[in-house]
Amino acid sequence: MATLSDVARLAGVTTATVSNVLRNTQKVKPATVQKVQEAIAATGYRPNLMARALAEGKSSMVALVLPDINNPFYPEFVRVAERVARHRNYFLMVCNTDERPDIGRAYLHQIAGTLADGVLVLHTGISADDINELKTRRSPIVLASEEKVDLADQIPHVVVNFHRAGEIAGQHLLTLGHRRIGVIVGCGLEGMQVGRLEGFRDALHAAGVALSDAVIRNVSDTVAGGHDAAVSLLEQHPDLTAIFCTNDLMAYGTSQALADRGIRIPQDISLIGVTDIQLAKDMRPALTTVALGIEQVATISINLLLDLIENPTHEPTIVQVPDPVLVVRTSTGPVRSGGA
Protein backbone atom coordinates (compact mmCIF):
# COMPACT_ATOMS: atom_id res chain seq x y z
CA MET A 1 0.00 0.00 0.00
CA ALA A 2 1.39 3.39 -1.02
CA THR A 3 2.34 5.84 1.76
CA LEU A 4 2.51 9.60 2.05
CA SER A 5 6.29 9.32 1.72
CA ASP A 6 5.92 7.43 -1.57
CA VAL A 7 3.79 10.22 -2.98
CA ALA A 8 6.21 12.90 -1.76
CA ARG A 9 9.21 11.06 -3.23
CA LEU A 10 7.56 10.66 -6.63
CA ALA A 11 6.37 14.28 -6.73
CA GLY A 12 9.72 15.60 -5.50
CA VAL A 13 8.20 17.46 -2.55
CA THR A 14 8.05 17.10 1.23
CA THR A 15 5.40 15.05 3.04
CA ALA A 16 4.14 18.32 4.57
CA THR A 17 3.42 19.63 1.07
CA VAL A 18 1.49 16.48 0.21
CA SER A 19 -0.54 16.91 3.41
CA ASN A 20 -1.32 20.52 2.48
CA VAL A 21 -2.52 19.46 -0.95
CA LEU A 22 -4.76 16.78 0.58
CA ARG A 23 -6.28 19.38 2.90
CA ASN A 24 -6.80 21.75 -0.04
CA THR A 25 -4.96 24.59 1.66
CA GLN A 26 -4.29 27.71 -0.38
CA LYS A 27 -0.57 27.70 0.44
CA VAL A 28 0.47 25.34 -2.35
CA LYS A 29 1.26 26.58 -5.86
CA PRO A 30 -0.99 25.21 -8.64
CA ALA A 31 1.96 23.58 -10.41
CA THR A 32 2.94 21.75 -7.21
CA VAL A 33 -0.67 20.68 -6.61
CA GLN A 34 -0.74 19.14 -10.08
CA LYS A 35 2.51 17.22 -9.47
CA VAL A 36 1.21 15.87 -6.16
CA GLN A 37 -2.15 14.87 -7.66
CA GLU A 38 -0.38 13.04 -10.48
CA ALA A 39 1.80 11.22 -7.94
CA ILE A 40 -1.28 10.26 -5.91
CA ALA A 41 -2.92 8.85 -9.04
CA ALA A 42 0.24 6.99 -10.06
CA THR A 43 0.79 5.38 -6.64
CA GLY A 44 -2.87 4.74 -5.84
CA TYR A 45 -2.38 6.42 -2.45
CA ARG A 46 -5.41 6.62 -0.14
CA PRO A 47 -5.25 8.84 2.97
CA ASN A 48 -5.56 7.09 6.33
CA LEU A 49 -8.32 9.20 7.81
CA MET A 50 -8.03 7.69 11.28
CA ALA A 51 -4.30 8.39 11.40
CA ARG A 52 -4.89 11.95 10.22
CA ALA A 53 -7.54 12.48 12.89
CA LEU A 54 -5.18 11.26 15.62
CA ALA A 55 -2.29 13.36 14.35
CA GLU A 56 -4.25 16.56 13.85
CA GLY A 57 -6.89 16.17 16.56
CA LYS A 58 -9.46 16.63 13.82
CA SER A 59 -11.69 13.99 12.27
CA SER A 60 -13.05 15.90 9.25
CA MET A 61 -16.37 14.36 10.30
CA VAL A 62 -19.54 16.25 11.21
CA ALA A 63 -22.70 14.69 12.63
CA LEU A 64 -26.32 15.44 11.82
CA VAL A 65 -28.71 14.35 14.58
CA LEU A 66 -32.29 14.05 13.35
CA PRO A 67 -35.52 12.56 14.75
CA ASP A 68 -36.99 10.33 12.05
CA ILE A 69 -35.26 9.30 8.84
CA ASN A 70 -38.59 7.88 7.59
CA ASN A 71 -39.96 11.41 7.23
CA PRO A 72 -39.10 12.53 3.65
CA PHE A 73 -38.06 15.99 4.87
CA TYR A 74 -34.95 14.60 6.53
CA PRO A 75 -33.46 12.59 3.62
CA GLU A 76 -33.92 15.68 1.44
CA PHE A 77 -32.13 17.78 4.09
CA VAL A 78 -29.38 15.15 4.43
CA ARG A 79 -28.77 15.05 0.68
CA VAL A 80 -28.04 18.78 0.58
CA ALA A 81 -26.06 18.85 3.82
CA GLU A 82 -23.87 15.95 2.71
CA ARG A 83 -23.14 17.63 -0.62
CA VAL A 84 -22.16 20.92 1.03
CA ALA A 85 -20.01 19.17 3.65
CA ARG A 86 -18.26 17.10 0.98
CA HIS A 87 -17.53 20.23 -1.04
CA ARG A 88 -15.75 21.61 2.02
CA ASN A 89 -13.85 18.35 2.58
CA TYR A 90 -15.89 17.00 5.48
CA PHE A 91 -17.78 13.74 5.85
CA LEU A 92 -21.34 13.68 7.18
CA MET A 93 -22.46 11.16 9.81
CA VAL A 94 -26.26 10.76 10.14
CA CYS A 95 -27.66 9.90 13.59
CA ASN A 96 -31.36 8.97 13.78
CA THR A 97 -33.04 9.25 17.22
CA ASP A 98 -36.48 7.75 16.45
CA GLU A 99 -37.93 10.89 18.10
CA ARG A 100 -36.41 9.94 21.44
CA PRO A 101 -34.59 12.83 23.15
CA ASP A 102 -32.67 10.35 25.34
CA ILE A 103 -31.11 8.80 22.23
CA GLY A 104 -30.31 12.27 20.95
CA ARG A 105 -28.56 13.15 24.21
CA ALA A 106 -26.59 9.89 24.05
CA TYR A 107 -25.44 10.70 20.53
CA LEU A 108 -24.31 14.16 21.60
CA HIS A 109 -22.34 12.84 24.57
CA GLN A 110 -20.69 10.12 22.48
CA ILE A 111 -19.80 11.98 19.29
CA ALA A 112 -19.44 15.70 20.10
CA GLY A 113 -15.73 16.45 20.26
CA THR A 114 -14.75 12.81 19.70
CA LEU A 115 -16.02 11.16 16.53
CA ALA A 116 -17.25 14.45 15.07
CA ASP A 117 -15.70 17.91 14.89
CA GLY A 118 -19.16 19.43 15.18
CA VAL A 119 -22.85 18.48 15.40
CA LEU A 120 -25.92 19.81 13.62
CA VAL A 121 -29.08 19.12 15.66
CA LEU A 122 -32.35 19.03 13.77
CA HIS A 123 -35.80 18.83 15.44
CA THR A 124 -34.77 16.33 18.10
CA GLY A 125 -36.48 17.65 21.21
CA ILE A 126 -33.14 17.75 23.05
CA SER A 127 -33.25 20.55 25.60
CA ALA A 128 -31.12 23.64 25.19
CA ASP A 129 -29.60 22.99 28.62
CA ASP A 130 -28.34 19.58 27.44
CA ILE A 131 -26.78 21.16 24.37
CA ASN A 132 -25.30 24.05 26.30
CA GLU A 133 -23.71 21.62 28.76
CA LEU A 134 -21.65 20.08 25.95
CA LYS A 135 -20.11 23.35 24.79
CA THR A 136 -17.21 22.76 27.15
CA ARG A 137 -16.00 20.02 24.80
CA ARG A 138 -14.98 22.70 22.29
CA SER A 139 -17.04 21.03 19.62
CA PRO A 140 -19.55 23.39 17.99
CA ILE A 141 -23.22 22.42 18.11
CA VAL A 142 -25.71 24.18 15.84
CA LEU A 143 -29.49 23.97 16.03
CA ALA A 144 -31.28 23.99 12.71
CA SER A 145 -34.92 24.76 11.96
CA GLU A 146 -36.13 24.51 15.55
CA GLU A 147 -39.51 26.16 16.14
CA LYS A 148 -38.56 27.33 19.62
CA VAL A 149 -35.07 27.86 20.97
CA ASP A 150 -34.21 28.39 24.63
CA LEU A 151 -30.87 30.02 25.47
CA ALA A 152 -30.97 31.53 21.98
CA ASP A 153 -28.15 33.93 22.83
CA GLN A 154 -25.86 31.05 23.80
CA ILE A 155 -26.49 28.42 21.11
CA PRO A 156 -25.83 29.00 17.39
CA HIS A 157 -28.95 28.28 15.41
CA VAL A 158 -30.64 28.70 12.06
CA VAL A 159 -34.12 30.20 12.27
CA VAL A 160 -37.06 29.45 9.98
CA ASN A 161 -40.12 31.70 10.27
CA PHE A 162 -42.68 28.96 10.87
CA HIS A 163 -45.25 31.46 12.12
CA ARG A 164 -45.11 33.17 8.75
CA ALA A 165 -45.55 29.80 6.99
CA GLY A 166 -48.84 29.24 8.80
CA GLU A 167 -49.87 32.82 8.13
CA ILE A 168 -49.24 32.42 4.39
CA ALA A 169 -51.34 29.23 4.29
CA GLY A 170 -54.21 30.98 6.07
CA GLN A 171 -54.10 33.99 3.78
CA HIS A 172 -54.18 31.77 0.71
CA LEU A 173 -57.29 29.90 1.83
CA LEU A 174 -58.99 33.14 2.84
CA THR A 175 -58.28 34.64 -0.58
CA LEU A 176 -60.06 31.65 -2.14
CA GLY A 177 -63.10 32.36 0.03
CA HIS A 178 -62.69 29.56 2.58
CA ARG A 179 -64.03 30.16 6.08
CA ARG A 180 -64.91 26.65 7.31
CA ILE A 181 -61.42 25.20 7.64
CA GLY A 182 -60.11 22.17 9.49
CA VAL A 183 -56.54 22.09 10.81
CA ILE A 184 -54.25 19.09 11.35
CA VAL A 185 -51.20 19.82 13.50
CA GLY A 186 -48.19 17.55 13.87
CA CYS A 187 -47.55 17.14 17.57
CA GLY A 188 -44.46 14.94 17.40
CA LEU A 189 -41.61 16.03 19.69
CA GLU A 190 -43.99 17.78 22.06
CA GLY A 191 -45.88 19.96 19.62
CA MET A 192 -43.01 21.45 17.64
CA GLN A 193 -45.39 22.62 14.88
CA VAL A 194 -47.47 24.89 17.08
CA GLY A 195 -45.82 27.98 15.56
CA ARG A 196 -47.40 27.16 12.20
CA LEU A 197 -50.81 26.81 13.86
CA GLU A 198 -50.43 30.18 15.57
CA GLY A 199 -49.53 31.87 12.31
CA PHE A 200 -52.55 30.31 10.64
CA ARG A 201 -54.80 31.36 13.50
CA ASP A 202 -53.47 34.92 13.38
CA ALA A 203 -54.16 35.17 9.63
CA LEU A 204 -57.77 34.10 10.17
CA HIS A 205 -58.18 36.40 13.15
CA ALA A 206 -56.95 39.37 11.09
CA ALA A 207 -59.74 38.61 8.61
CA GLY A 208 -62.35 38.35 11.36
CA VAL A 209 -62.55 34.55 11.16
CA ALA A 210 -62.44 32.57 14.40
CA LEU A 211 -60.68 29.21 14.50
CA SER A 212 -62.43 26.89 16.92
CA ASP A 213 -60.49 24.24 18.80
CA ALA A 214 -63.18 21.80 17.65
CA VAL A 215 -61.77 21.80 14.10
CA ILE A 216 -58.14 21.27 15.16
CA ARG A 217 -56.58 17.82 15.41
CA ASN A 218 -53.19 17.17 17.02
CA VAL A 219 -51.68 13.96 15.68
CA SER A 220 -48.36 12.31 14.93
CA ASP A 221 -46.47 13.87 12.05
CA THR A 222 -47.07 10.89 9.74
CA VAL A 223 -49.18 9.80 6.78
CA ALA A 224 -51.32 7.71 9.12
CA GLY A 225 -51.71 10.64 11.49
CA GLY A 226 -52.99 12.85 8.68
CA HIS A 227 -55.34 10.14 7.43
CA ASP A 228 -56.91 9.48 10.82
CA ALA A 229 -57.25 13.18 11.65
CA ALA A 230 -58.98 13.84 8.34
CA VAL A 231 -61.45 11.01 8.99
CA SER A 232 -62.25 12.50 12.39
CA LEU A 233 -62.72 15.99 10.96
CA LEU A 234 -64.97 14.79 8.13
CA GLU A 235 -67.17 12.78 10.48
CA GLN A 236 -67.70 15.65 12.90
CA HIS A 237 -67.55 18.61 10.50
CA PRO A 238 -68.87 17.57 7.06
CA ASP A 239 -69.32 21.21 6.07
CA LEU A 240 -65.58 21.91 5.89
CA THR A 241 -64.41 23.46 2.62
CA ALA A 242 -60.65 23.29 3.27
CA ILE A 243 -58.06 21.54 5.42
CA PHE A 244 -54.70 22.97 6.46
CA CYS A 245 -51.96 20.52 7.47
CA THR A 246 -48.86 21.82 9.20
CA ASN A 247 -46.74 19.32 7.27
CA ASP A 248 -46.93 17.86 3.75
CA LEU A 249 -46.66 14.30 5.04
CA MET A 250 -49.94 14.66 6.94
CA ALA A 251 -51.47 16.37 3.91
CA TYR A 252 -50.69 13.26 1.88
CA GLY A 253 -52.48 11.13 4.47
CA THR A 254 -55.40 13.55 4.36
CA SER A 255 -55.60 13.24 0.58
CA GLN A 256 -55.86 9.45 0.95
CA ALA A 257 -58.72 9.79 3.44
CA LEU A 258 -60.56 12.14 1.07
CA ALA A 259 -60.04 9.84 -1.90
CA ASP A 260 -61.33 6.86 0.10
CA ARG A 261 -64.57 8.74 0.60
CA GLY A 262 -64.94 9.98 -2.96
CA ILE A 263 -64.30 13.58 -1.91
CA ARG A 264 -62.64 15.50 -4.73
CA ILE A 265 -59.67 17.82 -4.27
CA PRO A 266 -60.08 20.77 -4.74
CA GLN A 267 -63.65 20.68 -6.08
CA ASP A 268 -65.10 19.53 -2.76
CA ILE A 269 -62.30 20.36 -0.31
CA SER A 270 -59.13 22.36 -0.76
CA LEU A 271 -55.95 21.03 0.84
CA ILE A 272 -52.75 22.87 1.74
CA GLY A 273 -49.59 21.80 3.57
CA VAL A 274 -46.24 23.18 4.73
CA THR A 275 -42.68 22.17 3.72
CA ASP A 276 -42.70 21.41 -0.05
CA ILE A 277 -41.07 18.00 0.06
CA GLN A 278 -40.76 16.07 -3.22
CA LEU A 279 -43.93 14.14 -2.37
CA ALA A 280 -45.92 17.38 -2.59
CA LYS A 281 -44.95 17.69 -6.25
CA ASP A 282 -45.54 14.02 -7.05
CA MET A 283 -48.94 13.40 -5.43
CA ARG A 284 -52.12 13.85 -7.44
CA PRO A 285 -53.55 16.37 -7.32
CA ALA A 286 -50.23 18.10 -6.72
CA LEU A 287 -50.19 19.72 -3.29
CA THR A 288 -50.37 23.44 -2.73
CA THR A 289 -47.93 24.10 0.09
CA VAL A 290 -45.77 26.69 1.81
CA ALA A 291 -42.15 25.98 0.92
CA LEU A 292 -39.67 26.29 3.78
CA GLY A 293 -36.69 26.16 1.43
CA ILE A 294 -35.12 22.85 2.44
CA GLU A 295 -32.06 23.41 0.26
CA GLN A 296 -31.46 26.89 1.68
CA VAL A 297 -31.95 25.78 5.27
CA ALA A 298 -29.63 22.78 4.89
CA THR A 299 -26.95 24.80 3.08
CA ILE A 300 -26.97 27.65 5.59
CA SER A 301 -27.02 25.26 8.55
CA ILE A 302 -24.10 23.06 7.53
CA ASN A 303 -22.04 26.06 6.43
CA LEU A 304 -22.63 27.73 9.79
CA LEU A 305 -21.43 24.60 11.58
CA LEU A 306 -18.32 24.29 9.42
CA ASP A 307 -17.54 27.99 9.85
CA LEU A 308 -17.69 27.56 13.62
CA ILE A 309 -15.44 24.48 13.45
CA GLU A 310 -12.86 26.43 11.47
CA ASN A 311 -13.19 29.52 13.67
CA PRO A 312 -13.70 28.20 17.24
CA THR A 313 -13.52 31.66 18.82
CA HIS A 314 -16.60 32.85 16.93
CA GLU A 315 -19.50 33.91 19.15
CA PRO A 316 -22.88 32.11 18.95
CA THR A 317 -24.61 33.10 15.74
CA ILE A 318 -28.27 33.40 14.81
CA VAL A 319 -29.01 33.10 11.10
CA GLN A 320 -32.48 33.84 9.73
CA VAL A 321 -33.24 32.08 6.45
CA PRO A 322 -35.45 33.75 3.81
CA ASP A 323 -39.17 33.71 4.56
CA PRO A 324 -41.32 30.76 3.43
CA VAL A 325 -42.96 31.01 0.01
CA LEU A 326 -46.41 29.93 -1.17
CA VAL A 327 -46.30 27.29 -3.91
CA VAL A 328 -49.71 27.07 -5.58
CA ARG A 329 -50.52 23.77 -7.25
CA THR A 330 -53.81 22.03 -7.96
CA SER A 331 -55.01 20.99 -4.49
CA THR A 332 -56.57 24.36 -3.66
CA GLY A 333 -59.38 26.20 -5.41
CA PRO A 334 -62.23 28.65 -4.80
CA VAL A 335 -64.74 27.77 -2.10
CA ARG A 336 -67.88 25.96 -3.24
CA SER A 337 -71.30 25.89 -1.59
CA GLY A 338 -72.30 23.02 0.67
CA GLY A 339 -69.90 20.64 2.40
CA ALA A 340 -67.85 17.56 1.80
Side-chain angles (χ1 to χ4, degrees):
M1 182 179 293
T3 66
L4 197 72
S5 297
D6 294 333
V7 175
R9 190 179 309 108
L10 184 59
V13 298
T14 65
T15 55
T17 298
V18 176
S19 293
N20 284 334
V21 171
L22 291 170
R23 288 196 298 268
N24 285 337
T25 65
Q26 304 300 312
K27 301 176 182 178
V28 186
K29 296 177 181 179
T32 303
V33 170
Q34 183 175 350
K35 284 198 301 183
V36 170
Q37 289 175 339
E38 289 173 351
I40 289 172
T43 60
Y45 173 73
R46 293 292 180 269
N48 186 323
L49 298 179
M50 186 64 71
R52 182 193 297 179
L54 291 171
E56 300 178 0
K58 181 175 179 291
S59 69
S60 296
M61 183 83 71
V62 291
L64 172 57
V65 182
L66 52 82
D68 182 9
I69 199 67
N70 287 319
N71 186 323
F73 171 86
Y74 298 108
E76 292 185 31
F77 189 102
V78 168
R79 180 183 60 83
V80 177
E82 189 280 331
R83 184 179 66 227
V84 175
R86 177 163 30 90
H87 181 73
R88 293 185 60 172
N89 299 302
Y90 286 85
F91 299 94
L92 184 71
M93 175 196 315
V94 177
C95 307
N96 179 60
T97 70
D98 285 330
E99 295 195 355
R100 287 180 50 183
D102 60 318
I103 294 178
R105 285 191 293 272
Y107 269 131
L108 286 180
H109 281 281
Q110 291 297 323
I111 64 180
T114 55
L115 296 177
D117 295 330
V119 184
L120 183 58
V121 179
L122 188 61
H123 298 158
T124 59
I126 304 170
S127 75
D129 286 330
D130 286 330
I131 294 171
N132 209 37
E133 177 188 325
L134 290 165
K135 288 170 59 179
T136 57
R137 296 192 180 195
R138 295 174 296 182
S139 179
I141 298 175
V142 170
L143 298 180
S145 195
E146 296 284 344
E147 300 209 23
K148 57 180 181 179
V149 180
D150 301 321
L151 301 175
D153 59 332
Q154 300 177 45
I155 302 174
H157 63 284
V158 175
V159 181
V160 177
N161 193 342
F162 291 106
H163 183 278
R164 179 61 184 145
E167 194 175 41
I168 289 170
Q171 291 168 345
H172 176 64
L173 292 180
L174 289 168
T175 299
L176 294 171
H178 295 283
R179 298 296 183 271
R180 300 189 301 278
I181 307 169
V183 179
I184 301 175
V185 184
C187 65
L189 297 174
E190 301 178 358
M192 294 302 289
Q193 294 178 14
V194 170
R196 311 175 201 198
L197 170 63
E198 293 307 314
F200 188 81
R201 191 192 298 274
D202 288 347
L204 268 59
H205 179 75
V209 178
L211 182 64
S212 167
D213 288 343
V215 294
I216 300 174
R217 298 291 182 273
N218 292 281
V219 296
S220 63
D221 186 7
T222 61
V223 173
H227 179 281
D228 294 346
V231 170
S232 171
L233 283 171
L234 293 170
E235 288 176 348
Q236 298 181 31
H237 305 279
D239 62 337
L240 294 178
T241 67
I243 296 177
F244 164 56
C245 298
T246 59
N247 186 287
D248 291 347
L249 202 59
M250 296 183 302
Y252 180 67
T254 296
S255 72
Q256 291 182 325
L258 295 174
D260 290 345
R261 284 154 182 76
I263 298 171
R264 300 169 301 167
I265 305 171
Q267 295 91 335
D268 299 325
I269 284 187
S270 284
L271 179 63
I272 186 170
V274 173
T275 308
D276 197 28
I277 57 178
Q278 183 62 43
L279 182 62
K281 308 172 184 68
D282 294 340
M283 59 187 280
R284 292 295 177 267
L287 182 67
T288 294
T289 188
V290 182
L292 300 178
I294 298 174
E295 182 143 355
Q296 287 179 307
V297 177
T299 299
I300 291 170
S301 299
I302 198 70
N303 274 325
L304 173 59
L305 177 63
L306 298 180
D307 289 344
L308 291 172
I309 290 171
E310 293 169 4
N311 183 10
T313 61
H314 201 285
E315 292 298 319
T317 303
I318 300 172
V319 180
Q320 177 81 50
V321 301
D323 272 354
V325 176
L326 177 67
V327 180
V328 179
R329 298 194 178 99
T330 53
S331 71
T332 53
V335 69
R336 80 297 181 256
S337 60

